[in-house]
Amino acid sequence: HRVYSETAFTVGAVTINKASGRVNIAATGTSVVVTNSLVTAASHVMAWMSSADGTAGVTSVVPGAGSFTITCAAVTGQTSFDFFVVSAD
């Protein structure tokens, strides 16, 4: 099996219809919405910080129909987060 990923260089809300990828939250931001056609409310979405920020850390990842939201403590500078989606359907 292959895992296809996509890296988004956009800061803020983005559409990535892949099982994994990277999103960016702007300085002082606390969340980002990722539109993703592979995600359902029953999906398992894992996310982790992929750039250095001493104050940030993922506090929740909430999947919904066609999207998920990554929430974190306020970041001090633009910060990247990687994600991986596993279908539970």
Side-chain angles (χ1 to χ4, degrees):
H1 296 279
R2 290 185 179 187
V3 175
Y4 294 96
S5 68
E6 183 171 317
T7 301
F9 296 102
T10 303
V11 176
V14 66
T15 298
I16 301 176
N17 293 315
K18 305 283 184 178
S20 65
R22 177 171 288 171
V23 296
N24 299 292
I25 296 178
T28 71
T30 58
S31 66
V32 62
V33 175
V34 180
T35 300
N36 186 316
S37 61
L38 303 177
V39 176
T40 69
S43 294
H44 299 283
V45 182
M46 285 73 63
W48 55 93
M49 190 171 59
S50 56
S51 62
D53 186 304
T55 64
V58 175
T59 57
S60 67
V61 182
V62 180
S67 69
F68 61 92
T69 302
I70 299 172
T71 303
C72 65
V75 296
T76 56
Q78 180 177 315
T79 304
S80 298
F81 292 84
D82 291 336
F83 69 86
F84 185 74
V85 177
V86 178
S87 176
D89 296 333

